Amino acid sequence: TTKLEEVKLYGGSGRGTVILDGSGGNTARIGVDMKMEGVEALPLLKDAADVDRLTGTGRLVVVLTGDGTSEREVVETLAGRVEFAFEDGAIRGINVAEMLRNLSRGNLGGLDAKPTDETDFSALTSSWTVASGVAQNNDLKLSSPLLRLSGSGRVMLPAREVDYTLKPRLVAS
């Protein structure tokens, strides 16, 4: 067990505990209990999930444990929770405001998305429970000047499958 009093990762800082316990014979227990503030979403998500479409800074809480004799077994037994709250960011690759402006001008051909396009958001929050390697979420919320997005679903980590529904809603603010 290692206690980390001051950790600097992804532009943020935090503290936590990391556990690596091999005292159970052939089975190892791996665990992390980490709380971070000021974390940059883009490099974190790129490294963790190969996702490069989200920017912003915020809070991240990870409390996970897993047991096994292999990486796969550890993933299959993962349990705990993950929470994040990012602010003042953007979704890269789509510009909802520009698409709406094109539609209002009658330009139906202006709906193309470019890699440089961005849709700003003021807040993105989500909390996940993890049991037997399946991450479940029911409260994803994104707020931006023109868009509200909610989401819920599951990520089956061992099978590398995602069953997730996003519900976008345009607003007139």
Side-chain angles (χ1 to χ4, degrees):
T1 301
T2 301
K3 291 194 182 287
L4 305 169
E5 296 299 327
E6 186 175 340
V7 177
K8 303 250 185 226
L9 291 171
Y10 301 104
S13 62
R15 59 187 323 145
T17 305
V18 176
I19 298 168
L20 179 56
D21 182 357
S23 65
N26 292 336
T27 301
R29 168 162 278 219
I30 298 172
V32 64
D33 182 345
M34 187 74 65
K35 293 164 186 64
M36 303 284 299
E37 296 285 341
V39 175
E40 295 177 24
L42 183 63
L44 169 70
L45 293 173
K46 179 68 175 152
D47 287 350
D50 200 26
V51 173
D52 63 354
R53 298 208 177 261
L54 191 69
T55 67
T57 58
R59 177 180 52 82
L60 175 66
V61 176
V62 178
V63 180
L64 292 172
T65 60
D67 301 287
T69 58
S70 67
E71 178 184 353
R72 179 154 184 91
E73 284 182 12
V74 170
V75 171
E76 289 172 344
T77 63
L78 275 178
R81 65 185 170 88
V82 176
E83 301 170 7
F84 62 82
F86 293 113
E87 298 177 337
D88 301 325
I91 301 169
R92 297 171 55 183
I94 187 168
N95 186 334
V96 172
E98 184 65 24
M99 287 178 169
L100 290 175
R101 281 191 288 276
N102 284 331
L103 283 174
S104 70
R105 291 184 217 124
N107 183 3
L108 297 178
L111 301 178
D112 300 346
K114 298 182 264 332
T116 56
D117 287 347
E118 291 188 343
T119 298
D120 295 335
F121 66 82
S122 56
L124 172 62
T125 61
S126 185
S127 62
W128 297 76
T129 57
V130 182
S132 301
V134 177
Q136 176 80 36
N137 165 262
N138 295 313
D139 66 355
L140 180 122
K141 287 189 178 22
L142 177 138
S143 297
S144 80
L146 291 174
L147 179 68
R148 302 294 185 267
L149 185 71
S150 62
S152 64
R154 300 180 310 154
V155 177
M156 289 68 68
L157 297 167
R160 297 182 178 194
E161 295 176 358
V162 176
D163 178 10
Y164 204 85
T165 302
L166 291 172
K167 295 180 183 176
R169 184 171 44 101
L170 297 174
V171 295
S173 61

